[in-house]
Amino acid sequence: MSSSDLIIEIKALSKTYKSFATPLARFKQLFWGVRRCYYKTYTALKSVDLEIGKGEVVGIVGKNGAGKSTLLQLICGTLSPTSGSIRITGKISALLELGAGFNPEFTGRENIHLAAALMGLAKQDVVALEHEIIDFAGIESFIDQPVKTYSSGMFVRLAFAVATSVNPDILVIDEALSVGDGEFAKKSFDRIMALRDQGKTILFCSHSLYQIEQICNRVIWIDKGEVKAQGNPANVLKEYQGYLDSLNQSEAHSAGGAVNSELQTNEARFVSVNITNASSENAELIFESQVDDLIINVTFKASEQVVPPGVAIVINDENGQLVTSVGSWVDGIQPNKLGAGSYQLTLRFPNLPLLKGLYKISVMLFCDRGLFVYDEINEAAYIRVVQKGSELGLVSLPRVWNDALDALESSKPSVLPEQDNEILIRYANENDELLLLSLFKRCFDVTISKSLWRWKYSSSIHRCVVAQQGANLVGFFGVMPRDSKIFGASSKTAQICDVMLDPKLDNGLAKAKLFKRIKEHFTQNYVGERYEFPFAFGFPTERAQELGEKLKTYTRIDSLARLEWNTCLMNRRALGCRTFDRSDFAYLDRVWNKTHPDLKDLAVNVKDAEWLAHRYLDRPDSEYDCLLFYTRFSGEPIGVAVTRLSDDGSVELMDLIAPKAYLDEVLSHLMHVKMHQGVSLVFAIVSGSVSNTLQASGCTSQRLPLSIPGDELKDNSDPLVLKGKWWLWGGDTDSR
């Protein structure tokens, strides 16, 4: 590695501590230390040499006390070396001990300015970053409280937000993320990935070998203050895991061969993993491709404090190349409870599609959100697959020749098969795409493009639910996650869309039962006070709403109205207006940041630059007029409007984002712009709360036979707390 590529260069680095048995010994050393030594020495690092290049993501592993934290603190400058040298090129941002660098008496906001100033940021730069830091940390309600009142989770949220928002050249993280909750941990790792993609250098210390392997491109193993091994993550971690296993076996042997079966708090571990096929328990584990079923039976224990974990199965070929991986939490599968703290899961791969070869199967025990690994068994078993045909590759994929929906339709029976009438409810996956496009055409008598389907569901298809009967898909429950503000607090909601039941299911009662099953399959694992989405919402017709209420799956929490404005009757306001594009993201965020505090008593979906770009600029098959309004005097952005031309020549106002103080002004100027474009009528589809706010703007209002439902929930959440308090525009539904 050339010197120009180095960002951290460490030579012969050592750190030795003096340990005094008593305060008196320290006193004696001060006065008589020349003649006698009153302390013992402890060497935390021994002559370490390291070179770390720009853009590297380096994981650091080792047992407690191995010297990992000492190395990171020396790099960050919070410790001084006993000997050796460190050369750093660039700005370091660190997340070390919880709360390091924070003054507990200062408020969160004051600590943001303090920490950023210590990192060398100018005051104006800190002011520009302040809102981003607060929003990412998700602690707006507490930002002006002293941080000594914060929980450990709030502390680490703020510290991580500060450390990663100051555009560091080097980011150092030492185990601190283990304090955050699952949702914030995922958000944090997404940001770490973004910094990695930007070419930042990251040093990441963690006991989670799974996280290390997923994030890092080099791993350093430190043991007793020395670098034991470094290099490719898979190779180093395998060697390190073998070392840990040998220690565990040694400890078990010294205890007379008995392994302690008691679980610590917040712990889970495997009890057994059995792999076999359906027809026999062949000790050689030989499977015939596309004939035998591969069955993996797993049992595990979890302490009472742990939400029942999920199981991941990973299959690699004999060279270590990943073939596939599955997770029970991804498919919405809950483990079977065998007794207090004991669980079981069975995974079956029917007609194993692997082609001939040797394969390795590993199993991992994750938290219920799939973020943290409690336990793992690498290469739990080897299986050999044999085959009769000459097909080459790793897997035999199901296929349809003449890849077109019409061909797919013509190949299907005109009615659903009488045999195999059992309907399987499961979570969707990417392989269902063709069948779902076909179902969409049967249900709505229109064809949806692949690009539009992927725009809607590419990031959330695994949360959507399908009903499968034989080889057909006969039902679908579509889900699009939204970042939201519920009464001012950051939250998530699920937008329900494209609920489909095959028209060939002509029995009304059967359809109602099927709808209830697929809807509850989603809500039982995702919706509720303790789940990913506190609330779910949609835009059903009145008939569908009534069905949901009869089945006790929906509660009506708001109505929709159509507002209309005659552009000739609106007064012009002296604002500037121009089309916005991706170069205006910072301005769009400023408008949203000024708007959402006015809506703190309502529920509103986040309408920041990221969402506006996805909803309007990235949508593949629709054209929108996206406008940014600003004051002529200062150029300060004060409003955003998105419109779409209708077939009858009128214009639909899809979104209007502006602080309440400027709402009428922006609306009036928008009408003036549309009038000069030859538009006489502008209309909007809005919720009741928006309609009530805009009644004085010169519009007419008509209630529509559409409602906004909230879910009847299984816990203490009550959707009726949102009754009349949804702030929704037509743009909040993907179909408009």
Side-chain angles (χ1 to χ4, degrees):
M1 188 181 299
S2 66
S3 59
S4 61
D5 293 329
L6 289 178
I7 197 167
I8 301 175
E9 185 177 13
I10 298 173
K11 292 183 178 180
L13 186 66
S14 296
K15 180 63 178 178
T16 300
Y17 294 95
K18 296 177 181 179
S19 176
F20 294 91
T22 65
L24 179 60
R26 186 183 297 273
F27 179 80
K28 290 179 178 179
Q29 182 65 32
L30 182 63
F31 288 96
W32 299 292
V34 175
R35 291 177 293 175
R36 181 181 172 186
C37 183
Y38 293 93
Y39 60 82
K40 295 180 180 179
T41 60
Y42 168 71
T43 302
L45 283 183
K46 303 174 184 177
S47 194
V48 171
D49 294 309
L50 284 175
E51 291 184 346
I52 297 174
K54 295 177 181 177
E56 277 198 281
V57 183
V58 180
I60 301 176
V61 299
K63 292 185 64 184
N64 289 333
K68 307 185 300 296
S69 296
T70 300
L71 173 62
L72 295 181
Q73 290 181 62
L74 287 167
I75 291 174
C76 295
T78 58
L79 287 178
S80 299
T82 304
S83 62
S85 64
I86 305 174
R87 185 176 67 85
I88 306 292
T89 305
K91 181 172 65 178
I92 293 183
S93 182
L95 196 62
L96 299 174
E97 296 177 6
L98 188 61
F102 278 8
N103 187 322
E105 301 298 330
F106 286 7
T107 67
R109 192 185 306 276
E110 290 168 338
N111 270 293
I112 290 174
H113 287 259
L114 173 63
L118 291 173
M119 294 176 191
L121 267 68
K123 184 175 181 180
Q124 60 269 26
D125 295 331
V126 182
V127 172
L129 287 171
E130 181 180 315
H131 181 82
E132 177 191 339
I133 292 171
I134 297 171
D135 187 61
F136 186 88
I139 57 171
E140 294 107 318
S141 302
F142 302 91
I143 197 61
D144 291 310
Q145 299 295 322
V147 297
K148 66 183 181 182
T149 65
Y150 287 10
S151 66
S152 59
M154 293 165 63
F155 224 127
V156 79
R157 282 171 173 265
L158 184 60
F160 182 86
V162 172
T164 56
S165 296
V166 296
N167 194 29
D169 300 302
I170 304 167
L171 177 64
V172 178
I173 302 175
D174 184 9
E175 282 292 345
L177 293 184
S178 62
V179 181
D181 58 59
E183 180 183 358
F184 184 74
K186 182 181 184 304
K187 190 176 176 181
S188 302
F189 287 120
D190 288 343
R191 174 161 285 193
I192 292 172
M193 293 296 98
L195 289 171
R196 183 188 68 175
D197 295 341
Q198 294 169 23
K200 306 297 184 181
T201 299
I202 301 173
L203 304 183
F204 183 64
C205 176
S206 175
H207 287 295
S208 171
L209 304 190
Y210 171 80
Q211 292 173 356
I212 291 282
E213 187 166 6
Q214 292 298 308
I215 293 173
C216 304
N217 50 37
R218 180 155 66 110
V219 171
I220 298 171
W221 170 20
I222 295 179
D223 187 52
K224 298 177 181 177
E226 299 178 304
V227 176
K228 191 82 170 178
Q230 61 174 305
N232 177 271
N235 296 336
V236 175
L237 292 178
K238 183 177 181 180
E239 186 178 353
Y240 177 57
Q241 183 63 58
Y243 166 72
L244 294 179
D245 292 342
S246 67
L247 290 180
N248 291 336
Q249 292 172 5
S250 175
E251 290 171 1
H253 179 73
S254 64
V259 178
N260 185 2
S261 61
E262 294 299 320
L263 291 172
Q264 303 299 315
T265 302
N266 295 326
E267 185 183 354
R269 61 174 172 77
F270 285 115
V271 174
S272 66
V273 177
N274 294 311
I275 300 173
T276 183
N277 61 17
S279 57
S280 67
E281 296 191 4
N282 193 322
E284 294 183 293
L285 294 178
I286 297 177
F287 294 79
E288 184 174 348
S289 176
Q290 304 167 66
V291 175
D292 291 330
D293 291 355
L294 170 62
I295 302 172
I296 304 170
N297 186 64
V298 176
T299 59
F300 55 92
K301 288 187 175 182
S303 62
E304 293 298 325
Q305 294 79 12
V306 169
V307 177
V311 172
I313 307 294
V314 178
I315 301 179
N316 297 86
D317 67 10
E318 59 183 324
N319 298 316
Q321 181 70 34
L322 177 65
V323 177
T324 190
S325 63
V326 297
S328 61
W329 68 94
V330 175
D331 295 337
I333 302 301
Q334 296 293 318
N336 300 317
K337 191 164 186 177
L338 303 178
S342 296
Y343 300 89
Q344 177 270 340
L345 269 175
T346 299
L347 174 67
R348 179 192 299 265
F349 289 99
N351 305 323
L352 183 65
L354 294 176
L355 295 176
K356 63 181 178 182
L358 182 66
Y359 298 90
K360 310 169 187 177
I361 299 178
S362 302
V363 295
M364 286 173 278
L365 196 59
F366 277 81
C367 71
D368 63 307
R369 292 176 179 267
L371 293 173
F372 302 107
V373 178
Y374 291 116
D375 195 8
E376 56 186 313
I377 304 177
N378 290 317
E379 301 178 12
Y382 289 79
I383 65 170
R384 182 170 297 280
V385 178
V386 298
Q387 68 185 74
K388 294 180 179 178
S390 59
E391 194 172 352
L392 300 177
L394 293 174
V395 295
S396 177
L397 295 176
R399 55 260 194 186
V400 176
W401 292 95
N402 296 331
D403 184 9
L405 285 177
D406 291 340
L408 186 65
E409 282 297 304
S410 63
S411 69
K412 294 184 179 299
S414 57
V415 295
L416 295 176
E418 292 184 6
Q419 69 276 16
D420 194 14
N421 281 326
E422 181 181 356
I423 295 179
L424 169 69
I425 308 298
R426 62 173 174 83
Y427 287 97
N429 59 63
E430 293 85 351
N431 297 328
D432 295 321
E433 183 178 275
L434 275 179
L435 292 173
L436 288 171
L437 295 177
S438 174
L439 179 62
F440 190 96
K441 185 175 182 180
R442 295 200 302 276
C443 289
F444 302 120
D445 199 27
V446 293
T447 298
I448 183 172
S449 66
K450 286 184 180 179
S451 59
L452 180 57
W453 182 266
R454 291 169 184 172
W455 172 82
K456 294 171 73 170
Y457 296 117
S458 62
S459 63
S460 62
I461 190 65
H462 294 286
R463 295 184 181 90
C464 303
V465 180
V466 295
Q468 181 173 353
Q469 186 176 39
N472 299 281
L473 295 185
V474 296
F476 178 73
F477 194 77
V479 179
M480 294 178 65
R482 292 292 307 273
D483 290 324
S484 306
K485 297 278 187 180
I486 305 295
F487 305 146
S490 296
S491 182
K492 283 187 176 292
T493 53
Q495 179 187 329
I496 309 306
C497 43
D498 296 330
V499 176
M500 299 185 287
L501 299 174
D502 198 315
K504 294 173 185 175
L505 294 169
D506 54 3
N507 185 309
L509 181 59
K511 278 188 175 182
K513 289 181 177 179
L514 180 57
F515 165 71
K516 185 178 177 68
R517 286 180 65 194
I518 62 176
K519 189 263 181 185
E520 290 181 347
H521 193 78
F522 169 72
T523 55
Q524 70 182 356
N525 290 308
Y526 282 106
V527 181
E529 188 176 27
R530 298 175 290 111
Y531 293 81
E532 182 175 3
F533 306 109
F535 296 97
F537 70 99
F539 300 87
T541 63
E542 184 69 16
R543 181 179 178 184
Q545 173 69 40
E546 290 176 353
L547 173 62
E549 290 173 338
K550 287 180 180 178
L551 295 174
K552 295 185 178 181
T553 62
Y554 285 162
T555 295
R556 193 184 305 251
I557 59 174
D558 212 336
S559 60
L560 290 177
R562 177 184 169 108
L563 307 183
E564 293 185 357
W565 293 269
N566 185 330
T567 60
C568 300
L569 301 179
M570 302 293 285
N571 296 321
R572 180 184 179 183
R573 303 299 174 96
L575 297 177
C577 175
R578 60 179 171 82
T579 301
F580 71 75
D581 57 27
R582 297 178 193 279
S583 65
D584 293 311
F585 279 7
Y587 293 110
L588 304 181
D589 279 337
R590 282 162 68 177
V591 172
W592 169 244
N593 292 337
K594 293 174 183 176
T595 301
H596 74 75
D598 288 343
L599 306 175
K600 63 180 181 300
D601 296 327
L602 301 169
V604 58
N605 290 318
V606 169
K607 297 172 185 284
D608 57 11
E610 181 181 1
W611 183 80
L612 287 167
H614 171 74
R615 176 62 180 87
Y616 300 114
L617 303 182
D618 296 341
R619 180 165 168 143
D621 65 346
S622 295
E623 293 185 0
Y624 301 96
D625 188 14
C626 304
L627 300 175
L628 176 66
F629 296 87
Y630 54 91
T631 59
R632 290 189 182 275
F633 177 73
S634 65
E636 181 66 17
I638 60 170
V640 171
V642 181
T643 63
R644 184 184 66 171
L645 184 64
S646 298
D647 294 338
D648 61 3
S650 63
V651 164
E652 179 176 4
L653 176 56
M654 308 288 294
D655 259 309
L656 184 64
I657 307 165
K660 285 189 177 179
Y662 292 104
L663 199 58
D664 288 343
E665 193 169 352
V666 172
L667 186 59
S668 295
H669 196 85
L670 171 67
M671 298 305 163
H672 176 77
V673 171
K674 292 303 170 185
M675 182 182 68
H676 277 273
Q677 293 176 352
V679 176
S680 60
L681 179 68
V682 174
F683 71 93
I685 307 299
V686 298
S687 61
S689 58
V690 182
S691 176
N692 295 336
T693 301
L694 298 181
Q695 282 296 330
S697 66
C699 64
T700 60
S701 176
Q702 176 187 2
R703 190 184 182 283
L704 297 176
L706 295 169
S707 300
I708 303 171
D711 277 286
E712 291 280 4
L713 304 176
K714 55 189 172 298
D715 53 28
N716 294 326
S717 297
D718 185 357
L720 289 177
V721 300
L722 293 179
K723 191 171 182 64
K725 295 185 178 182
W726 267 108
W727 184 271
L728 293 176
W729 287 78
D732 284 301
T733 169
D734 66 284
S735 63
R736 305 194 62 76

